[in-house]
Amino acid sequence: MKASKLLHTRLRVNNIEESIKFFTTILGMEVVRKTQSPRGSTLVFLKLPGSDEEIELCYYPGSGKVYVPPDLMHLAFEVKNLEQFRKHCSKLGYQFSDGPTVTSNGTKFAFIDHPDGYEIELIERNQ
């Protein structure tokens, strides 16, 4: 027996609207549904066009403030052109927190930080 598909990754956030704005304006994700969990959490599911995997944002103030330690985890997204993406982020007030770095095979990557400290890796694959 094995799992058949990755469905979503959950991130608990301090400010649901700020997080939605980050994922939609910076990364181009779309909100696919919003709901309330039985325990009262606000849940927002986002995904990229053409992708099956979703990110579930969870806002639940009863759990206390979200603190994401450095280098705990990250989400990785492919971008077509890292330099153009850097300019896009800069126009929206976000800077790369690390990189860009070029690997031995020519792939480039950089990181940008979500408002709560989640690291978002941006990868331009060497074509």
mmCIF file of all heavy atoms in Angstrom, residues 11-59:
data_model
loop_
_atom_site.group_PDB
_atom_site.id
_atom_site.type_symbol
_atom_site.label_atom_id
_atom_site.label_comp_id
_atom_site.label_asym_id
_atom_site.label_seq_id
_atom_site.Cartn_x
_atom_site.Cartn_y
_atom_site.Cartn_z
ATOM 1 N N LEU A 11 0.362 25.469 5.668
ATOM 2 C CA LEU A 11 1.170 26.469 6.358
ATOM 3 C C LEU A 11 0.249 27.248 7.287
ATOM 4 O O LEU A 11 -0.759 27.804 6.844
ATOM 5 C CB LEU A 11 1.807 27.457 5.367
ATOM 6 C CG LEU A 11 2.713 26.887 4.282
ATOM 7 C CD1 LEU A 11 3.160 28.001 3.353
ATOM 8 C CD2 LEU A 11 3.909 26.186 4.893
ATOM 9 N N ARG A 12 0.575 27.273 8.565
ATOM 10 C CA ARG A 12 -0.193 28.116 9.493
ATOM 11 C C ARG A 12 0.379 29.519 9.412
ATOM 12 O O ARG A 12 1.607 29.688 9.368
ATOM 13 C CB ARG A 12 -0.131 27.575 10.926
ATOM 14 C CG ARG A 12 -1.262 28.148 11.789
ATOM 15 C CD ARG A 12 -1.481 27.351 13.058
ATOM 16 N NE ARG A 12 -0.351 27.371 13.949
ATOM 17 C CZ ARG A 12 -0.053 28.387 14.770
ATOM 18 N NH1 ARG A 12 -0.807 29.460 14.808
ATOM 19 N NH2 ARG A 12 0.993 28.307 15.559
ATOM 20 N N VAL A 13 -0.472 30.527 9.367
ATOM 21 C CA VAL A 13 -0.042 31.903 9.144
ATOM 22 C C VAL A 13 -0.636 32.843 10.192
ATOM 23 O O VAL A 13 -1.656 32.545 10.799
ATOM 24 C CB VAL A 13 -0.421 32.376 7.716
ATOM 25 C CG1 VAL A 13 0.271 31.521 6.661
ATOM 26 C CG2 VAL A 13 -1.931 32.372 7.498
ATOM 27 N N ASN A 14 0.028 33.976 10.360
ATOM 28 C CA ASN A 14 -0.435 34.991 11.310
ATOM 29 C C ASN A 14 -1.498 35.916 10.731
ATOM 30 O O ASN A 14 -2.331 36.439 11.458
ATOM 31 C CB ASN A 14 0.739 35.852 11.790
ATOM 32 C CG ASN A 14 1.644 35.103 12.733
ATOM 33 O OD1 ASN A 14 1.180 34.439 13.656
ATOM 34 N ND2 ASN A 14 2.943 35.181 12.494
ATOM 35 N N ASN A 15 -1.451 36.146 9.432
ATOM 36 C CA ASN A 15 -2.366 37.082 8.786
ATOM 37 C C ASN A 15 -2.804 36.463 7.458
ATOM 38 O O ASN A 15 -2.022 36.424 6.510
ATOM 39 C CB ASN A 15 -1.675 38.430 8.572
ATOM 40 C CG ASN A 15 -2.584 39.470 7.963
ATOM 41 O OD1 ASN A 15 -3.329 39.202 7.033
ATOM 42 N ND2 ASN A 15 -2.493 40.680 8.487
ATOM 43 N N ILE A 16 -4.029 35.990 7.402
ATOM 44 C CA ILE A 16 -4.498 35.260 6.225
ATOM 45 C C ILE A 16 -4.529 36.147 4.983
ATOM 46 O O ILE A 16 -4.117 35.719 3.898
ATOM 47 C CB ILE A 16 -5.869 34.576 6.489
ATOM 48 C CG1 ILE A 16 -6.190 33.546 5.406
ATOM 49 C CG2 ILE A 16 -6.978 35.594 6.600
ATOM 50 C CD1 ILE A 16 -5.442 32.278 5.520
ATOM 51 N N GLU A 17 -4.977 37.379 5.110
ATOM 52 C CA GLU A 17 -5.068 38.271 3.942
ATOM 53 C C GLU A 17 -3.680 38.620 3.405
ATOM 54 O O GLU A 17 -3.471 38.656 2.191
ATOM 55 C CB GLU A 17 -5.868 39.532 4.269
ATOM 56 C CG GLU A 17 -7.330 39.272 4.562
ATOM 57 C CD GLU A 17 -8.069 38.504 3.462
ATOM 58 O OE1 GLU A 17 -7.796 38.738 2.261
ATOM 59 O OE2 GLU A 17 -8.921 37.670 3.797
ATOM 60 N N GLU A 18 -2.730 38.883 4.295
ATOM 61 C CA GLU A 18 -1.357 39.175 3.877
ATOM 62 C C GLU A 18 -0.743 37.962 3.164
ATOM 63 O O GLU A 18 -0.043 38.107 2.159
ATOM 64 C CB GLU A 18 -0.516 39.569 5.093
ATOM 65 C CG GLU A 18 0.903 39.948 4.780
ATOM 66 C CD GLU A 18 1.683 40.348 6.030
ATOM 67 O OE1 GLU A 18 1.566 39.656 7.067
ATOM 68 O OE2 GLU A 18 2.397 41.358 5.954
ATOM 69 N N SER A 19 -1.027 36.777 3.661
ATOM 70 C CA SER A 19 -0.500 35.555 3.044
ATOM 71 C C SER A 19 -1.131 35.310 1.676
ATOM 72 O O SER A 19 -0.443 34.926 0.728
ATOM 73 C CB SER A 19 -0.734 34.353 3.952
ATOM 74 O OG SER A 19 0.100 34.443 5.082
ATOM 75 N N ILE A 20 -2.438 35.516 1.569
ATOM 76 C CA ILE A 20 -3.096 35.371 0.268
ATOM 77 C C ILE A 20 -2.478 36.339 -0.723
ATOM 78 O O ILE A 20 -2.160 35.966 -1.859
ATOM 79 C CB ILE A 20 -4.617 35.608 0.382
ATOM 80 C CG1 ILE A 20 -5.274 34.485 1.183
ATOM 81 C CG2 ILE A 20 -5.253 35.746 -1.000
ATOM 82 C CD1 ILE A 20 -6.711 34.760 1.572
ATOM 83 N N LYS A 21 -2.279 37.575 -0.313
ATOM 84 C CA LYS A 21 -1.684 38.585 -1.195
ATOM 85 C C LYS A 21 -0.285 38.154 -1.640
ATOM 86 O O LYS A 21 0.068 38.279 -2.810
ATOM 87 C CB LYS A 21 -1.625 39.931 -0.482
ATOM 88 C CG LYS A 21 -1.068 41.036 -1.334
ATOM 89 C CD LYS A 21 -1.057 42.363 -0.598
ATOM 90 C CE LYS A 21 -0.388 43.415 -1.461
ATOM 91 N NZ LYS A 21 -0.254 44.691 -0.756
ATOM 92 N N PHE A 22 0.523 37.649 -0.725
ATOM 93 C CA PHE A 22 1.872 37.202 -1.064
ATOM 94 C C PHE A 22 1.828 36.117 -2.140
ATOM 95 O O PHE A 22 2.496 36.208 -3.171
ATOM 96 C CB PHE A 22 2.590 36.684 0.186
ATOM 97 C CG PHE A 22 3.954 36.112 -0.088
ATOM 98 C CD1 PHE A 22 5.061 36.936 -0.132
ATOM 99 C CD2 PHE A 22 4.126 34.747 -0.301
ATOM 100 C CE1 PHE A 22 6.325 36.406 -0.391
ATOM 101 C CE2 PHE A 22 5.376 34.215 -0.563
ATOM 102 C CZ PHE A 22 6.481 35.052 -0.613
ATOM 103 N N PHE A 23 1.050 35.069 -1.903
ATOM 104 C CA PHE A 23 1.039 33.943 -2.835
ATOM 105 C C PHE A 23 0.379 34.286 -4.172
ATOM 106 O O PHE A 23 0.761 33.741 -5.201
ATOM 107 C CB PHE A 23 0.382 32.717 -2.198
ATOM 108 C CG PHE A 23 1.275 32.007 -1.224
ATOM 109 C CD1 PHE A 23 1.070 32.121 0.144
ATOM 110 C CD2 PHE A 23 2.340 31.239 -1.666
ATOM 111 C CE1 PHE A 23 1.905 31.476 1.046
ATOM 112 C CE2 PHE A 23 3.178 30.587 -0.768
ATOM 113 C CZ PHE A 23 2.962 30.709 0.584
ATOM 114 N N THR A 24 -0.594 35.190 -4.172
ATOM 115 C CA THR A 24 -1.253 35.526 -5.438
ATOM 116 C C THR A 24 -0.477 36.575 -6.226
ATOM 117 O O THR A 24 -0.324 36.433 -7.436
ATOM 118 C CB THR A 24 -2.703 35.995 -5.211
ATOM 119 O OG1 THR A 24 -2.725 37.124 -4.341
ATOM 120 C CG2 THR A 24 -3.564 34.868 -4.643
ATOM 121 N N THR A 25 0.039 37.615 -5.560
ATOM 122 C CA THR A 25 0.726 38.670 -6.316
ATOM 123 C C THR A 25 2.173 38.334 -6.620
ATOM 124 O O THR A 25 2.656 38.639 -7.706
ATOM 125 C CB THR A 25 0.667 40.031 -5.592
ATOM 126 O OG1 THR A 25 1.315 39.931 -4.335
ATOM 127 C CG2 THR A 25 -0.749 40.524 -5.429
ATOM 128 N N ILE A 26 2.876 37.714 -5.701
ATOM 129 C CA ILE A 26 4.286 37.389 -5.935
ATOM 130 C C ILE A 26 4.410 36.149 -6.819
ATOM 131 O O ILE A 26 5.145 36.143 -7.804
ATOM 132 C CB ILE A 26 5.043 37.143 -4.608
ATOM 133 C CG1 ILE A 26 5.075 38.407 -3.745
ATOM 134 C CG2 ILE A 26 6.465 36.638 -4.865
ATOM 135 C CD1 ILE A 26 5.881 39.545 -4.305
ATOM 136 N N LEU A 27 3.677 35.086 -6.486
ATOM 137 C CA LEU A 27 3.864 33.803 -7.163
ATOM 138 C C LEU A 27 2.811 33.499 -8.233
ATOM 139 O O LEU A 27 2.964 32.545 -8.982
ATOM 140 C CB LEU A 27 3.909 32.678 -6.132
ATOM 141 C CG LEU A 27 5.113 32.782 -5.181
ATOM 142 C CD1 LEU A 27 4.929 31.871 -3.990
ATOM 143 C CD2 LEU A 27 6.398 32.470 -5.915
ATOM 144 N N GLY A 28 1.737 34.277 -8.284
ATOM 145 C CA GLY A 28 0.718 34.053 -9.307
ATOM 146 C C GLY A 28 -0.222 32.894 -9.017
ATOM 147 O O GLY A 28 -0.882 32.383 -9.921
ATOM 148 N N MET A 29 -0.307 32.493 -7.764
ATOM 149 C CA MET A 29 -1.221 31.414 -7.398
ATOM 150 C C MET A 29 -2.658 31.934 -7.397
ATOM 151 O O MET A 29 -2.895 33.142 -7.315
ATOM 152 C CB MET A 29 -0.853 30.843 -6.030
ATOM 153 C CG MET A 29 0.541 30.237 -6.002
ATOM 154 S SD MET A 29 0.906 29.379 -4.461
ATOM 155 C CE MET A 29 0.166 27.788 -4.844
ATOM 156 N N GLU A 30 -3.597 31.016 -7.483
ATOM 157 C CA GLU A 30 -5.007 31.359 -7.465
ATOM 158 C C GLU A 30 -5.678 30.720 -6.258
ATOM 159 O O GLU A 30 -5.367 29.578 -5.908
ATOM 160 C CB GLU A 30 -5.689 30.841 -8.736
ATOM 161 C CG GLU A 30 -5.108 31.431 -10.000
ATOM 162 C CD GLU A 30 -5.643 30.763 -11.265
ATOM 163 O OE1 GLU A 30 -6.273 29.675 -11.179
ATOM 164 O OE2 GLU A 30 -5.411 31.326 -12.349
ATOM 165 N N VAL A 31 -6.596 31.464 -5.638
ATOM 166 C CA VAL A 31 -7.398 30.892 -4.553
ATOM 167 C C VAL A 31 -8.424 29.964 -5.185
ATOM 168 O O VAL A 31 -9.171 30.377 -6.074
ATOM 169 C CB VAL A 31 -8.095 32.005 -3.739
ATOM 170 C CG1 VAL A 31 -9.048 31.410 -2.713
ATOM 171 C CG2 VAL A 31 -7.066 32.904 -3.059
ATOM 172 N N VAL A 32 -8.429 28.702 -4.750
ATOM 173 C CA VAL A 32 -9.387 27.740 -5.305
ATOM 174 C C VAL A 32 -10.567 27.482 -4.373
ATOM 175 O O VAL A 32 -11.640 27.105 -4.821
ATOM 176 C CB VAL A 32 -8.718 26.408 -5.712
ATOM 177 C CG1 VAL A 32 -7.800 26.622 -6.891
ATOM 178 C CG2 VAL A 32 -7.969 25.764 -4.581
ATOM 179 N N ARG A 33 -10.364 27.696 -3.070
ATOM 180 C CA ARG A 33 -11.488 27.599 -2.141
ATOM 181 C C ARG A 33 -11.103 28.147 -0.774
ATOM 182 O O ARG A 33 -9.942 28.154 -0.400
ATOM 183 C CB ARG A 33 -12.035 26.184 -2.033
ATOM 184 C CG ARG A 33 -11.155 25.177 -1.378
ATOM 185 C CD ARG A 33 -11.762 23.765 -1.488
ATOM 186 N NE ARG A 33 -10.865 22.761 -0.977
ATOM 187 C CZ ARG A 33 -9.783 22.304 -1.601
ATOM 188 N NH1 ARG A 33 -9.446 22.796 -2.770
ATOM 189 N NH2 ARG A 33 -9.026 21.380 -1.051
ATOM 190 N N LYS A 34 -12.134 28.594 -0.065
ATOM 191 C CA LYS A 34 -11.990 29.068 1.316
ATOM 192 C C LYS A 34 -13.020 28.333 2.150
ATOM 193 O O LYS A 34 -14.145 28.108 1.701
ATOM 194 C CB LYS A 34 -12.251 30.574 1.415
ATOM 195 C CG LYS A 34 -11.258 31.440 0.689
ATOM 196 C CD LYS A 34 -11.611 32.916 0.857
ATOM 197 C CE LYS A 34 -10.630 33.803 0.112
ATOM 198 N NZ LYS A 34 -10.944 35.233 0.286
ATOM 199 N N THR A 35 -12.639 27.991 3.375
ATOM 200 C CA THR A 35 -13.559 27.255 4.241
ATOM 201 C C THR A 35 -13.191 27.482 5.707
ATOM 202 O O THR A 35 -12.135 28.036 6.011
ATOM 203 C CB THR A 35 -13.545 25.742 3.891
ATOM 204 O OG1 THR A 35 -14.571 25.097 4.626
ATOM 205 C CG2 THR A 35 -12.202 25.117 4.180
ATOM 206 N N GLN A 36 -14.059 27.057 6.583
ATOM 207 C CA GLN A 36 -13.801 27.046 8.026
ATOM 208 C C GLN A 36 -13.698 25.593 8.460
ATOM 209 O O GLN A 36 -14.528 24.770 8.087
ATOM 210 C CB GLN A 36 -14.945 27.718 8.795
ATOM 211 C CG GLN A 36 -15.073 29.210 8.600
ATOM 212 C CD GLN A 36 -13.953 29.972 9.273
ATOM 213 O OE1 GLN A 36 -13.277 30.726 8.614
ATOM 214 N NE2 GLN A 36 -13.750 29.794 10.545
ATOM 215 N N SER A 37 -12.678 25.283 9.255
ATOM 216 C CA SER A 37 -12.559 23.920 9.765
ATOM 217 C C SER A 37 -13.537 23.736 10.928
ATOM 218 O O SER A 37 -14.022 24.716 11.498
ATOM 219 C CB SER A 37 -11.126 23.654 10.238
ATOM 220 O OG SER A 37 -10.902 24.284 11.487
ATOM 221 N N PRO A 38 -13.801 22.505 11.312
ATOM 222 C CA PRO A 38 -14.695 22.256 12.446
ATOM 223 C C PRO A 38 -14.211 22.920 13.744
ATOM 224 O O PRO A 38 -15.015 23.255 14.596
ATOM 225 C CB PRO A 38 -14.691 20.731 12.576
ATOM 226 C CG PRO A 38 -14.371 20.239 11.211
ATOM 227 C CD PRO A 38 -13.422 21.261 10.643
ATOM 228 N N ARG A 39 -12.904 23.111 13.907
ATOM 229 C CA ARG A 39 -12.400 23.742 15.135
ATOM 230 C C ARG A 39 -12.349 25.266 15.037
ATOM 231 O O ARG A 39 -11.951 25.935 15.982
ATOM 232 C CB ARG A 39 -11.037 23.184 15.513
ATOM 233 C CG ARG A 39 -9.920 23.633 14.624
ATOM 234 C CD ARG A 39 -8.593 23.140 15.145
ATOM 235 N NE ARG A 39 -7.532 23.770 14.376
ATOM 236 C CZ ARG A 39 -6.278 23.745 14.688
ATOM 237 N NH1 ARG A 39 -5.884 23.119 15.764
ATOM 238 N NH2 ARG A 39 -5.389 24.339 13.931
ATOM 239 N N GLY A 40 -12.697 25.819 13.851
ATOM 240 C CA GLY A 40 -12.765 27.264 13.713
ATOM 241 C C GLY A 40 -11.627 27.907 12.950
ATOM 242 O O GLY A 40 -11.550 29.126 12.866
ATOM 243 N N SER A 41 -10.725 27.133 12.398
ATOM 244 C CA SER A 41 -9.634 27.688 11.594
ATOM 245 C C SER A 41 -10.183 28.207 10.270
ATOM 246 O O SER A 41 -11.071 27.600 9.675
ATOM 247 C CB SER A 41 -8.597 26.611 11.257
ATOM 248 O OG SER A 41 -8.022 26.088 12.421
ATOM 249 N N THR A 42 -9.631 29.313 9.805
ATOM 250 C CA THR A 42 -9.896 29.786 8.450
ATOM 251 C C THR A 42 -8.894 29.086 7.547
ATOM 252 O O THR A 42 -7.686 29.146 7.790
ATOM 253 C CB THR A 42 -9.725 31.312 8.358
ATOM 254 O OG1 THR A 42 -10.644 31.940 9.251
ATOM 255 C CG2 THR A 42 -9.955 31.811 6.939
ATOM 256 N N LEU A 43 -9.383 28.419 6.511
ATOM 257 C CA LEU A 43 -8.534 27.685 5.585
ATOM 258 C C LEU A 43 -8.709 28.249 4.178
ATOM 259 O O LEU A 43 -9.838 28.450 3.723
ATOM 260 C CB LEU A 43 -8.895 26.203 5.577
ATOM 261 C CG LEU A 43 -8.875 25.492 6.927
ATOM 262 C CD1 LEU A 43 -9.371 24.059 6.779
ATOM 263 C CD2 LEU A 43 -7.492 25.528 7.544
ATOM 264 N N VAL A 44 -7.585 28.501 3.523
ATOM 265 C CA VAL A 44 -7.598 28.991 2.145
ATOM 266 C C VAL A 44 -6.662 28.102 1.346
ATOM 267 O O VAL A 44 -5.500 27.922 1.719
ATOM 268 C CB VAL A 44 -7.153 30.467 2.066
ATOM 269 C CG1 VAL A 44 -7.112 30.937 0.619
ATOM 270 C CG2 VAL A 44 -8.070 31.353 2.897
ATOM 271 N N PHE A 45 -7.168 27.550 0.255
ATOM 272 C CA PHE A 45 -6.380 26.676 -0.613
ATOM 273 C C PHE A 45 -6.017 27.437 -1.886
ATOM 274 O O PHE A 45 -6.885 28.067 -2.505
ATOM 275 C CB PHE A 45 -7.167 25.411 -0.961
ATOM 276 C CG PHE A 45 -7.392 24.510 0.216
ATOM 277 C CD1 PHE A 45 -8.422 24.755 1.114
ATOM 278 C CD2 PHE A 45 -6.559 23.424 0.438
ATOM 279 C CE1 PHE A 45 -8.622 23.924 2.205
ATOM 280 C CE2 PHE A 45 -6.756 22.584 1.536
ATOM 281 C CZ PHE A 45 -7.789 22.841 2.417
ATOM 282 N N LEU A 46 -4.731 27.372 -2.251
ATOM 283 C CA LEU A 46 -4.237 28.040 -3.450
ATOM 284 C C LEU A 46 -3.488 27.041 -4.320
ATOM 285 O O LEU A 46 -2.935 26.065 -3.812
ATOM 286 C CB LEU A 46 -3.263 29.163 -3.068
ATOM 287 C CG LEU A 46 -3.781 30.240 -2.139
ATOM 288 C CD1 LEU A 46 -3.192 30.054 -0.767
ATOM 289 C CD2 LEU A 46 -3.445 31.598 -2.685
ATOM 290 N N LYS A 47 -3.443 27.327 -5.625
ATOM 291 C CA LYS A 47 -2.628 26.509 -6.511
ATOM 292 C C LYS A 47 -2.234 27.333 -7.728
ATOM 293 O O LYS A 47 -2.836 28.361 -8.027
ATOM 294 C CB LYS A 47 -3.325 25.224 -6.918
ATOM 295 C CG LYS A 47 -4.459 25.369 -7.883
ATOM 296 C CD LYS A 47 -4.990 23.996 -8.255
ATOM 297 C CE LYS A 47 -5.632 24.083 -9.623
ATOM 298 N NZ LYS A 47 -5.816 22.810 -10.241
ATOM 299 N N LEU A 48 -1.206 26.859 -8.386
ATOM 300 C CA LEU A 48 -0.773 27.469 -9.634
ATOM 301 C C LEU A 48 -1.575 26.885 -10.781
ATOM 302 O O LEU A 48 -1.891 25.687 -10.768
ATOM 303 C CB LEU A 48 0.715 27.196 -9.880
ATOM 304 C CG LEU A 48 1.683 28.000 -9.031
ATOM 305 C CD1 LEU A 48 3.097 27.455 -9.170
ATOM 306 C CD2 LEU A 48 1.642 29.474 -9.423
ATOM 307 N N PRO A 49 -1.901 27.696 -11.785
ATOM 308 C CA PRO A 49 -2.558 27.136 -12.965
ATOM 309 C C PRO A 49 -1.682 26.014 -13.548
ATOM 310 O O PRO A 49 -0.467 26.142 -13.633
ATOM 311 C CB PRO A 49 -2.638 28.325 -13.924
ATOM 312 C CG PRO A 49 -2.558 29.535 -13.041
ATOM 313 C CD PRO A 49 -1.679 29.132 -11.886
ATOM 314 N N GLY A 50 -2.308 24.903 -13.887
ATOM 315 C CA GLY A 50 -1.572 23.783 -14.472
ATOM 316 C C GLY A 50 -0.935 22.850 -13.465
ATOM 317 O O GLY A 50 -0.271 21.885 -13.834
ATOM 318 N N SER A 51 -1.096 23.113 -12.180
ATOM 319 C CA SER A 51 -0.523 22.264 -11.137
ATOM 320 C C SER A 51 -1.649 21.635 -10.331
ATOM 321 O O SER A 51 -2.677 22.267 -10.097
ATOM 322 C CB SER A 51 0.372 23.096 -10.216
ATOM 323 O OG SER A 51 0.908 22.299 -9.186
ATOM 324 N N ASP A 52 -1.456 20.410 -9.904
ATOM 325 C CA ASP A 52 -2.457 19.742 -9.075
ATOM 326 C C ASP A 52 -2.271 20.017 -7.586
ATOM 327 O O ASP A 52 -3.223 19.996 -6.821
ATOM 328 C CB ASP A 52 -2.418 18.224 -9.297
ATOM 329 C CG ASP A 52 -2.936 17.816 -10.661
ATOM 330 O OD1 ASP A 52 -3.750 18.556 -11.246
ATOM 331 O OD2 ASP A 52 -2.516 16.751 -11.140
ATOM 332 N N GLU A 53 -1.017 20.229 -7.168
ATOM 333 C CA GLU A 53 -0.729 20.404 -5.749
ATOM 334 C C GLU A 53 -1.226 21.765 -5.264
ATOM 335 O O GLU A 53 -1.157 22.757 -5.968
ATOM 336 C CB GLU A 53 0.768 20.281 -5.465
ATOM 337 C CG GLU A 53 1.331 18.917 -5.742
ATOM 338 C CD GLU A 53 1.699 18.703 -7.202
ATOM 339 O OE1 GLU A 53 1.703 19.690 -7.973
ATOM 340 O OE2 GLU A 53 1.960 17.566 -7.583
ATOM 341 N N GLU A 54 -1.688 21.780 -4.027
ATOM 342 C CA GLU A 54 -2.196 23.009 -3.430
ATOM 343 C C GLU A 54 -1.406 23.360 -2.173
ATOM 344 O O GLU A 54 -0.776 22.503 -1.559
ATOM 345 C CB GLU A 54 -3.674 22.840 -3.048
ATOM 346 C CG GLU A 54 -4.583 22.582 -4.216
ATOM 347 C CD GLU A 54 -6.033 22.337 -3.800
ATOM 348 O OE1 GLU A 54 -6.297 22.041 -2.605
ATOM 349 O OE2 GLU A 54 -6.903 22.445 -4.679
ATOM 350 N N ILE A 55 -1.486 24.623 -1.809
ATOM 351 C CA ILE A 55 -1.000 25.097 -0.522
ATOM 352 C C ILE A 55 -2.243 25.450 0.287
ATOM 353 O O ILE A 55 -3.139 26.151 -0.197
ATOM 354 C CB ILE A 55 -0.082 26.322 -0.671
ATOM 355 C CG1 ILE A 55 1.205 25.929 -1.380
ATOM 356 C CG2 ILE A 55 0.215 26.935 0.701
ATOM 357 C CD1 ILE A 55 2.111 27.099 -1.687
ATOM 358 N N GLU A 56 -2.295 24.949 1.500
ATOM 359 C CA GLU A 56 -3.390 25.258 2.408
ATOM 360 C C GLU A 56 -2.876 26.257 3.431
ATOM 361 O O GLU A 56 -1.971 25.951 4.212
ATOM 362 C CB GLU A 56 -3.862 23.992 3.130
ATOM 363 C CG GLU A 56 -4.899 24.259 4.210
ATOM 364 C CD GLU A 56 -5.191 23.031 5.062
ATOM 365 O OE1 GLU A 56 -4.621 21.946 4.816
ATOM 366 O OE2 GLU A 56 -5.982 23.166 6.003
ATOM 367 N N LEU A 57 -3.435 27.453 3.427
ATOM 368 C CA LEU A 57 -3.111 28.440 4.452
ATOM 369 C C LEU A 57 -4.108 28.258 5.585
ATOM 370 O O LEU A 57 -5.314 28.166 5.356
ATOM 371 C CB LEU A 57 -3.216 29.863 3.894
ATOM 372 C CG LEU A 57 -2.337 30.187 2.691
ATOM 373 C CD1 LEU A 57 -2.592 31.617 2.231
ATOM 374 C CD2 LEU A 57 -0.869 29.978 3.019
ATOM 375 N N CYS A 58 -3.601 28.229 6.800
ATOM 376 C CA CYS A 58 -4.439 28.026 7.974
ATOM 377 C C CYS A 58 -4.237 29.188 8.939
ATOM 378 O O CYS A 58 -3.121 29.433 9.400
ATOM 379 C CB CYS A 58 -4.072 26.708 8.661
ATOM 380 S SG CYS A 58 -4.953 26.451 10.216
ATOM 381 N N TYR A 59 -5.316 29.883 9.222
ATOM 382 C CA TYR A 59 -5.283 30.964 10.198
ATOM 383 C C TYR A 59 -6.081 30.509 11.415
ATOM 384 O O TYR A 59 -7.296 30.291 11.340
ATOM 385 C CB TYR A 59 -5.877 32.236 9.600
ATOM 386 C CG TYR A 59 -5.977 33.370 10.582
ATOM 387 C CD1 TYR A 59 -4.833 33.955 11.115
ATOM 388 C CD2 TYR A 59 -7.217 33.855 10.974
ATOM 389 C CE1 TYR A 59 -4.924 35.000 12.024
ATOM 390 C CE2 TYR A 59 -7.318 34.900 11.881
ATOM 391 C CZ TYR A 59 -6.170 35.463 12.405
ATOM 392 O OH TYR A 59 -6.264 36.500 13.310
#
